[in-house]
Amino acid sequence: MMRTIWMKIIYFILLLAAALFSVLYLEPFSILLLLILLLIPILMLLSNIYIRFHLRVSLQLTGSTYHRGTPQAVQLTIRNSGFLPVGRAVASINWISMMSDTKIPVSLTFPIPARNVTTVEFRISASHCGLTKMRMQWMQFTDYIHLFGWKMHVHPEAELLVLPGGKELDFPLSVPGSETDEESNIYSKLKPGDDPSEVYRIREYQPGDLQKRIHWKLSCRTDTVWVKEYSFPIQHRAAVVIDYSCGQTASAAAMDTALEAAFTLCAAFVRQEIPLMLYWLDAASGQLVWNELHTPSDLNDCFGTLLRQLPAKENTALLEQLSEQPALRSTNAIWYCTPCDVLSEMQKLSGIFKENRLHVLTARKADTEEKRPEHIYFIDEGSVEDTLRGIYCSGEVMS
Amino acid sequence: MSGKSRIPADAFYVDSTITISTKHHTRSLRLPLLIFLAIAGCLCTLEVCVSMVSPSFHGMPFWGISVLTIILVCILSILPKHLHLLGYLPLFAGIAAAFHSRELLVRGAKLFYNDYYSIAHHTETQFFEMPLYVDEQEAVTWLMCCCSVILCSIIARLLMRRPKFLFYFIMTFTPIEFGLYQGLAMNLPAILMVIVTWFGVLALQLAERRASQNNLRSVRYSASAGCGIAAIVLTGAAALAAVLIADRFQLTTSPEIQEKRQTLRHDIENMRWEDITGSLAELSIGLGIMEDPDVRELGEKSSLQYRNEDEVRLTFSELPDSGMYLKNYTGSVYEENALVILPEEILEDNENLLTLFDQFECMPQILPFMGSQSLYGKNSTATLEIEPLISTKLYLQPYASYNSKAIYLDDTGFVPVEADSYSFEFSKQQTYQSVFQTPLHEFYIPVSGFNLGDTVTADFFDRIDADTTQDMLCVTARQTPYIENPDFITQALQAVLAEHYVYRDFVYQTYTDVPESEALAEVYASLPDWLLQTAREGNDWATMQAVRQYLAEQSEYTLSPGKTPATRDFVNYFLLENHKGYCMHYATAGTVIARYLGIPARYCEGYVLSQDSMADGKENEDGFVIVDVPDSAGHAWCEIYLDGYGWVPFELTPGYYGEEMLSPGESSTTAATTTTAVPDVPAAESSTQTKTSVYTTAVTTDGNGNAAVLTATVSSIGSSSGQGGSLGSVLSGFLRILAILFLLILIAAMFVLLRRYRMNRRKRSFQNPDTIAAVLSLYRYLIRLLEVVSLSPGNQQLLEFAERAKQELNDAGYDGEGASHIIQLALAADMGEKAPTKEQLHEAVRYAERLALRIARNQKPAARFVMRYIHHLI
């Protein structure tokens, strides 16, 4: 922008000089020079108008979700269908983090050749989890002598969901209690069991299979012998509760830490095939939502759904609704991840989860002199992994 | 390709690497564009310089060397690594050549300056006197070649390496500005082309400005070349449109615009910081905000230049018998290095005179006309219509003329009723010799002839303060106040009476007044005794001749006398120190000295017409003669008062007078015996050692023995300004450039189309369903390809050649297996009628194409060009 102002000033001076020339020098050239200098801005303006109507801009992302801290490629594509190129264009793109409510403009400078499609690709890493929107504010291009800057107010948008990065834990997560519960009506999707009330799958007969498991009806209709495998009723041994009841008062960093801890735990449980339930309070309906996680894609989907709701308003109904959740009472280990200060809520929490092994991970800088209550762990951005290792190595989980 | 971008903190981190790519790979036209800019910029700048001076030189070697230098520098500048430094070689070669032949160069420079001097100062005089044996053309050509090599080397070199607008602008604009400043005519299309290249370079530089994006070079250069081309096209369109607009609306020839430009130019040129208020006031006058006080600043111009453009059109019913002065301005008061018209208050103080002017039309301007009628009879008059071409406020008045419709406000000029065109009746006798030699006679006018009972007549006599109690009124005049023409009898009598009784005294009171200053006192003190002695004798004519002689001895005529220092008196500096001047200097100094010696005198400006220039006029269908007066006919002279007759011109400028002068009485001893024109003799040079030749004088006499000035402008000067001066020539120049461009594009298109045709034909032959024919065609293509790397089968067996080709290609870093395979396939197909399969053929074609590209990549650009566009191998 500054450059066009300078060029305008210089051009104006040049115009004055030409006007002076046309008076001082009576040759036809001086008049022609003045005329040319008067006509050139008009032609430059017309060229800008022409270019404007031959530019199409779009924003693209290579994927819709990605993990925090990993760079994500973003493409700004400019299609110039005209025969006039642009020497210098500047695009301003606003990046809006819904979680931290921060808006940062990014400016890119690039040339646009004629009759071509120019792709400007750059990589961005988000610091915070949650929904991120990018919106082009404007694209400005200048004429060939930088007299006029033409600002195109086109606003292509793209959305990006930033998931927690997750830490890969280098130690096994053990959960006390039995793996199965015959009275459970939740069955494993990963392995067969002996509960005849539910068929896990039908497969071809293999030597060693019990005769009673042969699916006679099906085998009669086909030339192959099929056997039935029964399901494995699983005990929900672990649950992760994400509490964001403090709403927007929590800092984005604290929210990131809590989500990071929850994601790390979930990912570790899924990797070890430990049945896991993830609980959170739906921001829109105010109802408790729970999802069973078996695979990494389940994990991503669940967190995606959760993160789209953030940041949410303050809602204190979570503990109340958790207390009414019977399945949760039979869970062996509950990890309560929150960015909020839960010290005042400890009594209520202990009341709800008195029969369970409750571990509260709260995003807070640990004060060395502060004595933390039992089962409450202070975590910060860099200490998730160490905290979890500490918990497990100290045997607190199994005790 | 990567570039930098602003990296925000906090919520996001943008990777510093930005990649930019394009969907279609387009070849950058940057290099051809730079070559074009270098060639067009250099050649057009040279053409501008050449057209300014029009030196006498050999064109072919000059242009040839210039083009070769540019091409050589362009080629050397694109060499890889440090080899591009070889691009400075032509520059050093040019400097070395100049140093080696410095004597010839100096001679060339002097000759070139002589050409420039004659063009700039409209003179045939040579500034440097050169010996006759010097081969002018050789020396000038050598100088221009050296300069061209140096200039082209610098411009082309820096354009090719890094196009910088400022540098390019300075290099190319300097000669143009110089030409404009000196008022030299230049080749307009060439200048316009230079302007176009300015914007091309500027656009290129601005598009490539982001130095941090070095790695974006490919995309950036592609776009920047496009920007440069687009800027050139747009500026070219603007230039063309400007020419058409100027032509359509006559912007360069419109009298109104020219007048306004001239007025503003004068005001701007006279801007002085020490008198900024006055200067701004003058500018305001030029802009039409304030009225012009009609002041002539003296000594402000260092030189006088003419454009040789017609400024006035005259239509004569009959031509005068001699040359003619047309007065436009009368400077009556000399003060502070300026001449001003007679202040109104002086006239207002002479109430009687003003009344005589206003009510009785007893104008001194018309007195000579009446006198001429009295002397030569009423048939001695003709009509002259004056049509100003550049300024409608150009009020020109011939001597001994009368315009019944004009308004005569004072004793100097007039205001016509219609400014666009006005006419005079004028005396065809414009020489005044006989008038001057006619002594003052006493004429007695009987009072009884007047009706004194009439209040108007009584008022008239009251105003002139004549003693009407006497029977006769005695007046002195050069001719009888009784004229034949009955229309003017009364007016003539009144005018003579008014002149005798009132105006003559006023003239001697007013127009002999000289300013008192130390500087002028020094001038008066320096006047020689013989001049003062002549003045004491009381013969005005002899005194004025002596003044003229004194001025001629004291100074040298030149069109470039330099400016008068602000602290110096104009006349003092001219006569006592600088000793150089042109008509304005002579007329002013002569007027001041004449007044000091007691002769009423005034300074005048206008045009002077020679009899020859009027004779060259065109006769229209009504038999009238039309004469166009150029600006070079502009002149200044002195006007002296003849008692009983009026104001007559007196020439003081060397070169405008001689034995044959127009001035009154001068030819009395010689003119009567001379009957034929003397060949053009530079009278000024012979008599005053002046160097000008703008005007030459010769003697002609009419049947009455009256001499006339012949003033003739040098025709070559006029023709020089015609080069590129008119818009028609601009258009034709543009058309010529367009035609050349079109031709170049046509040739380029022919190359491209021919290549495309040959390529398509070859492709079709490779895809021939008859695979034998296809493989043989491929073989022929391969052989042509191998010839590029100096591999030819010659008389060798094909199998042996296949082996050799394989070996040599492998040695050269190519894959020779494929070539051998193709030769064997061709051999089998040709000899054994074994057709290759389509897959084999396809594979072979792909190999040949890959090989062609690799060979081309390893070739030099010129060889690659030949491969691509001459042999059509890739």
Side-chain angles (χ1 to χ4, degrees):
Chain A
M1 184 66 84
M2 278 305 289
R3 190 176 299 172
T4 60
I5 289 170
W6 276 113
M7 286 305 291
K8 277 189 184 112
I9 292 169
I10 291 169
Y11 197 84
F12 184 69
I13 293 168
L14 203 63
L15 207 58
L16 282 181
L20 199 64
F21 264 43
S22 68
V23 173
L24 288 178
Y25 304 136
L26 301 180
E27 285 72 21
F29 165 69
S30 55
I31 285 272
L32 288 179
L33 179 67
L34 182 63
L35 273 176
I36 290 170
L37 289 181
L38 287 171
L39 286 171
I40 280 175
I42 298 170
L43 289 176
M44 291 297 165
L45 197 62
L46 290 175
S47 73
N48 270 7
I49 294 169
Y50 173 84
I51 290 168
R52 164 65 188 91
F53 287 106
H54 287 83
L55 288 184
R56 296 284 178 275
V57 188
S58 62
L59 268 175
Q60 287 113 26
L61 292 162
T62 49
S64 59
T65 58
Y66 84 110
H67 294 279
R68 191 165 75 102
T70 55
Q72 167 74 7
V74 182
Q75 289 182 339
L76 175 67
T77 306
I78 306 104
R79 176 185 294 275
N80 182 3
S81 56
F83 59 82
L84 292 177
V86 176
R88 182 175 177 271
V90 182
S92 174
I93 300 168
N94 265 354
W95 293 85
I96 307 155
S97 168
M98 306 305 284
M99 179 75 83
S100 61
D101 197 25
T102 48
K103 187 189 285 183
I104 292 170
V106 177
S107 64
L108 301 165
T109 306
F110 47 88
I112 307 172
R115 291 190 177 278
N116 216 327
V117 179
T118 308
T119 305
V120 184
E121 187 178 303
F122 57 101
R123 292 172 178 276
I124 186 162
S125 307
S127 304
H128 300 299
C129 301
L131 198 60
T132 298
K133 285 184 179 176
M134 59 178 180
R135 185 171 191 265
M136 198 170 103
Q137 289 297 101
W138 45 260
M139 189 176 85
Q140 190 185 32
F141 60 89
T142 53
D143 60 87
Y144 303 114
I145 55 173
H146 291 199
L147 277 185
F148 303 106
W150 191 289
K151 204 176 259 189
M152 289 171 65
H153 289 279
V154 286
H155 309 293
E157 287 183 335
E159 264 189 13
L160 187 66
L161 193 63
V162 182
L163 297 173
K167 311 284 183 193
E168 196 162 332
L169 301 179
D170 54 358
F171 53 88
L173 298 182
S174 54
V175 179
S178 169
E179 191 180 352
T180 184
D181 178 5
E182 288 176 2
E183 291 182 359
S184 172
N185 54 358
I186 302 168
Y187 302 96
S188 171
K189 289 175 183 174
L190 300 174
K191 59 183 179 181
D194 295 324
D195 189 348
S197 56
E198 192 79 19
V199 177
Y200 175 69
R201 67 175 174 179
I202 294 170
R203 63 168 172 83
E204 278 189 40
Y205 175 81
Q206 289 174 356
D209 282 342
L210 293 174
Q211 236 180 358
K212 63 179 181 180
R213 295 276 175 94
I214 294 174
H215 197 313
W216 294 109
K217 272 187 183 175
L218 188 62
S219 302
C220 287
R221 274 190 241 132
T222 59
D223 293 336
T224 314
V225 180
W226 298 93
V227 292
K228 288 183 280 188
E229 281 187 338
Y230 296 126
S231 294
F232 181 80
I234 52 172
Q235 165 82 322
H236 277 134
R237 293 191 299 161
V240 174
V241 179
I242 298 174
D243 174 15
Y244 53 84
S245 58
C246 50
Q248 292 165 332
T249 54
S251 70
M255 186 64 89
D256 282 333
T257 306
L259 289 168
E260 200 67 51
F263 193 85
T264 302
L265 279 169
C266 291
F269 283 131
V270 166
R271 212 163 29 245
Q272 292 183 34
E273 290 192 355
I274 294 172
L276 169 72
M277 292 292 276
L278 179 66
Y279 294 87
W280 76 88
L281 198 66
D282 184 70
S285 63
Q287 296 300 313
L288 187 69
V289 178
W290 62 91
N291 275 284
E292 189 181 348
L293 306 181
H294 296 288
T295 61
S297 76
D298 291 345
L299 179 65
N300 286 350
D301 291 346
C302 279
F303 267 85
T305 312
L306 167 65
L307 289 171
R308 282 179 202 282
Q309 299 173 0
L310 298 179
K313 289 179 182 174
E314 191 171 344
N315 194 333
T316 54
L318 178 68
L319 289 179
E320 197 178 318
Q321 294 199 30
L322 280 175
S323 63
E324 293 168 2
Q325 191 57 235
L328 199 59
R329 293 185 181 281
S330 59
T331 305
N332 295 358
I334 296 170
W335 295 87
Y336 195 91
C337 302
T338 178
C340 313
D341 184 359
V342 289
L343 290 177
S344 58
E345 305 286 332
M346 272 311 294
Q347 200 174 354
K348 199 186 274 184
L349 273 171
S350 302
I352 296 169
F353 301 114
K354 58 188 173 187
E355 294 172 8
N356 309 97
R357 286 178 175 82
L358 173 67
H359 307 282
V360 179
L361 299 174
T362 179
R364 179 176 165 180
K365 277 263 182 211
D367 188 345
T368 50
E369 293 183 1
E370 187 181 14
K371 189 181 177 186
R372 66 175 172 83
E374 197 180 2
H375 303 308
I376 286 197
Y377 308 98
F378 298 137
I379 52 172
D380 56 29
E381 177 71 20
S383 68
V384 173
E385 195 178 353
D386 293 339
T387 307
L388 289 174
R389 183 182 286 111
I391 294 169
Y392 274 95
C393 292
S394 63
E396 287 185 51
V397 176
M398 300 304 292
S399 61
Chain B
M1 292 153 288
S2 65
K4 302 277 181 188
S5 116
R6 215 170 60 207
I7 302 173
D10 291 341
F12 300 100
Y13 297 95
V14 178
D15 201 322
S16 62
T17 302
I18 298 171
T19 61
I20 299 182
S21 57
T22 53
K23 188 176 178 184
H24 312 294
H25 174 71
T26 50
R27 185 177 290 274
S28 171
L29 295 171
R30 187 173 181 272
L31 188 61
L33 176 67
L34 287 177
I35 293 172
F36 167 77
L37 287 171
I39 293 175
C42 293
L43 293 187
C44 289
T45 307
L46 291 175
E47 170 58 22
V48 169
C49 298
V50 169
S51 65
M52 278 192 297
V53 183
S54 303
S56 175
F57 72 113
H58 298 294
M60 276 300 287
F62 169 70
W63 291 113
I65 286 174
S66 303
V67 171
L68 276 177
T69 305
I70 299 165
I71 292 171
L72 189 64
V73 173
C74 289
I75 290 169
L76 292 175
S77 297
I78 57 173
L79 290 177
K81 297 182 180 173
H82 295 302
L83 288 175
H84 70 82
L85 292 172
L86 292 172
Y88 288 114
L89 275 181
L91 173 65
F92 295 134
I95 294 170
F99 183 75
H100 181 258
S101 305
R102 51 191 177 279
E103 287 181 7
L104 187 61
L105 208 69
V106 169
R107 278 203 296 275
K110 285 181 177 176
L111 288 162
F112 189 87
Y113 189 80
N114 278 349
D115 287 333
Y116 153 73
Y117 186 81
S118 65
I119 292 282
H121 295 172
H122 297 262
T123 176
E124 285 181 350
T125 305
Q126 294 193 338
F127 191 87
F128 294 105
E129 287 188 9
M130 300 299 293
L132 290 173
Y133 60 82
V134 171
D135 185 344
E136 182 178 344
Q137 288 201 339
E138 187 193 353
V140 174
T141 307
W142 180 246
L143 168 82
M144 291 178 67
C145 285
C146 286
C147 293
S148 159
V149 167
I150 293 169
L151 183 80
C152 293
S153 297
I154 296 171
I155 292 180
R157 167 77 190 157
L158 285 151
L159 270 182
M160 292 302 293
R161 293 305 297 175
R162 182 168 290 180
K164 289 282 178 198
F165 169 73
L166 190 62
F167 173 80
Y168 181 68
F169 178 77
I170 290 170
M171 291 292 290
T172 52
F173 183 63
T174 309
I176 295 175
E177 214 288 326
F178 177 78
L180 284 174
Y181 182 74
Q182 296 294 336
L184 303 176
M186 289 178 278
N187 188 331
L188 214 45
I191 303 180
L192 296 180
M193 195 65 204
V194 172
I195 295 176
V196 167
T197 58
W198 289 346
F199 284 91
V201 175
L202 179 63
L204 201 66
Q205 184 189 342
L206 289 175
E208 294 177 359
R209 193 164 174 183
R210 283 186 69 87
S212 59
Q213 292 188 337
N214 284 331
N215 296 332
L216 291 172
R217 191 169 281 179
S218 168
V219 177
R220 200 152 47 90
Y221 278 4
S222 170
S224 68
C227 291
I229 293 167
I232 286 172
V233 171
L234 289 173
T235 318
L240 196 60
V243 171
L244 291 174
I245 289 170
D247 194 37
R248 172 71 181 80
F249 297 103
Q250 297 180 333
L251 295 181
T252 53
T253 54
S254 164
E256 290 80 12
I257 294 173
Q258 293 296 331
E259 181 195 354
K260 183 57 76 179
R261 286 172 75 190
Q262 278 184 334
T263 312
L264 290 173
R265 178 189 179 180
H266 175 261
D267 296 339
I268 290 169
E269 282 179 346
N270 288 338
M271 286 277 274
R272 283 173 297 168
W273 289 111
E274 57 266 31
D275 184 21
I276 190 70
T277 315
S279 299
L280 287 175
E282 284 179 12
L283 194 60
S284 306
I285 291 160
L287 291 166
I289 300 165
M290 290 170 65
E291 281 189 21
D292 189 355
D294 224 341
V295 177
R296 290 292 185 273
E297 298 288 348
L298 300 167
E300 295 286 331
K301 288 180 182 174
S302 62
S303 66
L304 199 60
Q305 288 158 1
Y306 297 117
R307 289 168 289 109
N308 249 34
E309 286 179 7
D310 292 336
E311 295 187 338
V312 189
R313 174 163 292 168
L314 307 175
T315 307
F316 291 93
S317 63
E318 287 178 67
L319 289 176
D321 296 337
S322 60
M324 179 183 243
Y325 285 96
L326 293 169
K327 188 172 77 169
N328 174 42
Y329 171 80
T330 308
S332 301
V333 179
Y334 173 78
E335 57 183 13
E336 295 177 356
N337 285 4
L339 286 159
V340 293
I341 59 169
L342 193 67
E344 285 182 7
E345 53 269 22
I346 293 180
L347 280 175
E348 284 166 2
D349 290 344
N350 289 272
E351 191 188 346
N352 283 343
L353 188 64
L354 211 55
T355 309
L356 288 169
F357 286 170
D358 290 345
Q359 292 181 11
F360 299 99
E361 296 182 354
C362 300
M363 309 305 297
Q365 293 94 311
I366 58 175
L367 205 57
F369 177 73
M370 306 294 177
S372 297
Q373 290 231 334
S374 174
L375 282 171
Y376 305 112
K378 67 177 180 180
N379 294 328
S380 65
T381 60
T383 58
L384 166 63
E385 186 180 339
I386 299 174
E387 183 188 352
L389 297 177
I390 58 158
S391 167
T392 52
K393 287 184 180 175
L394 191 62
Y395 304 147
L396 297 169
Q397 183 183 19
Y399 284 92
S401 67
Y402 178 62
N403 180 342
S404 60
K405 292 179 182 175
I407 301 162
Y408 292 91
L409 296 173
D410 54 24
D411 63 338
T412 56
F414 75 106
V415 178
V417 176
E418 290 178 357
D420 293 344
S421 174
Y422 45 91
S423 59
F424 285 95
E425 274 190 74
F426 72 99
S427 170
K428 288 190 285 181
Q429 309 294 328
Q430 289 279 322
T431 49
Y432 317 111
Q433 287 88 342
S434 56
V435 179
F436 204 88
Q437 290 171 63
T438 306
L440 275 171
H441 294 288
E442 288 185 348
F443 294 98
Y444 292 92
I445 302 168
V447 176
S448 57
F450 298 97
N451 181 11
L452 294 175
D454 178 38
T455 51
V456 177
T457 310
D459 185 34
F460 174 76
F461 282 104
D462 195 29
R463 296 283 176 190
I464 64 173
D465 199 20
D467 185 4
T468 52
T469 57
Q470 296 180 6
D471 294 339
M472 294 287 182
L473 292 175
C474 179
V475 294
T476 53
R478 308 269 170 178
Q479 70 287 321
T480 171
Y482 297 103
I483 59 174
E484 293 176 20
N485 193 337
D487 299 338
F488 296 118
I489 290 175
T490 313
Q491 205 171 357
L493 271 176
Q494 284 181 353
V496 170
L497 284 166
E499 192 275 334
H500 177 83
Y501 283 101
V502 183
Y503 185 65
R504 199 178 297 174
D505 292 341
F506 172 77
V507 165
Y508 278 90
Q509 284 171 12
T510 309
Y511 295 108
T512 53
D513 187 27
V514 287
E516 292 178 4
S517 67
E518 285 183 17
L520 284 178
E522 200 179 342
V523 172
Y524 304 146
S526 70
L527 293 177
D529 291 339
W530 59 267
L531 175 59
L532 298 173
Q533 180 60 38
T534 311
R536 274 193 288 273
E537 286 168 8
N539 184 332
D540 288 354
W541 173 240
T543 306
M544 286 308 293
Q545 276 188 314
V547 170
R548 186 161 69 192
Q549 187 184 344
Y550 168 69
L551 291 178
E553 287 174 358
Q554 201 67 13
S555 59
E556 180 183 344
Y557 181 88
T558 175
L559 288 170
S560 307
K563 291 184 179 179
T564 302
T567 54
R568 297 295 302 275
D569 179 80
F570 177 74
V571 176
N572 182 294
Y573 181 71
F574 166 57
L575 288 176
L576 303 183
E577 185 169 332
N578 191 26
H579 303 293
K580 286 178 186 172
Y582 49 87
C583 54
M584 186 183 248
H585 297 73
Y586 285 94
T588 307
T591 302
V592 169
I593 294 172
R595 286 188 180 191
Y596 173 72
L597 298 175
I599 300 170
R602 302 192 297 203
Y603 166 92
C604 296
E605 277 183 12
Y607 297 93
V608 62
L609 302 176
S610 69
Q611 203 171 16
D612 271 4
S613 64
M614 288 189 284
D616 288 341
K618 295 171 187 171
E619 194 167 331
N620 68 8
E621 54 196 12
D622 298 328
F624 286 22
V625 180
I626 297 171
V627 178
D628 288 335
V629 183
D631 62 336
S632 53
H635 188 48
W637 61 91
C638 177
E639 211 177 43
I640 59 170
Y641 192 75
L642 290 181
D643 299 349
Y645 187 79
W647 294 99
V648 292
F650 189 89
E651 190 57 70
L652 291 166
T653 308
Y656 286 78
Y657 60 83
E659 293 179 353
E660 67 291 341
M661 277 312 301
L662 175 70
S663 301
E666 187 151 18
S667 63
S668 58
T669 56
T670 60
T673 57
T674 313
T675 53
T676 54
V678 175
D680 288 352
V681 175
E685 282 193 26
S686 62
S687 61
T688 63
Q689 300 301 313
T690 180
K691 285 190 174 179
T692 184
S693 63
V694 173
Y695 290 94
T696 55
T697 59
V699 173
T700 63
T701 57
D702 57 18
N704 299 325
N706 296 327
V709 168
L710 285 179
T711 59
T713 53
V714 179
S715 59
S716 64
I717 296 170
S719 65
S720 71
S721 66
Q723 191 177 15
S726 71
L727 289 170
S729 68
V730 177
L731 278 174
S732 67
F734 256 115
L735 288 175
R736 209 176 301 137
I737 290 172
L738 283 178
I740 292 167
L741 283 177
F742 179 73
L743 197 67
L744 288 174
I745 291 168
L746 204 66
I747 292 168
M750 196 180 72
F751 272 93
V752 172
L753 289 174
L754 188 65
R755 174 176 170 268
R756 181 165 289 188
Y757 166 73
R758 293 280 300 272
M759 296 283 279
N760 284 340
R761 205 176 66 163
R762 195 174 66 219
K763 196 173 176 184
R764 278 199 302 275
S765 74
F766 290 167
Q767 290 169 350
N768 194 338
D770 180 3
T771 53
I772 293 176
V775 80
L776 290 176
S777 173
L778 180 63
Y779 169 74
R780 285 192 291 274
Y781 173 65
L782 181 72
I783 294 298
R784 288 181 61 205
L785 206 56
L786 293 177
E787 280 173 356
V788 177
V789 286
S790 308
L791 258 176
S792 171
N795 295 326
Q796 205 170 15
Q797 292 289 330
L798 278 184
L799 277 175
E800 289 174 11
F801 174 63
E803 199 56 35
R804 183 165 69 91
K806 178 183 169 184
Q807 187 64 38
E808 291 195 13
L809 284 175
N810 284 338
D811 292 347
Y814 304 107
D815 177 16
E817 190 69 44
S820 170
H821 183 60
I822 291 172
I823 296 169
Q824 286 172 15
L825 279 179
L827 190 64
D830 193 32
M831 306 300 284
E833 293 292 323
K834 184 186 173 188
T837 63
K838 284 198 172 178
E839 287 71 29
Q840 280 178 321
L841 186 65
H842 182 64
E843 195 61 36
V845 169
R846 283 191 59 193
Y847 164 79
E849 285 173 350
R850 277 202 310 273
L851 181 67
L853 286 175
R854 289 200 60 193
I855 289 174
R857 218 169 14 240
N858 291 339
Q859 297 298 310
K860 290 174 181 172
R864 202 180 308 150
F865 180 86
V866 171
M867 273 184 78
R868 185 183 289 271
Y869 292 106
I870 307 295
H871 296 146
H872 308 119
L873 291 173
I874 50 171

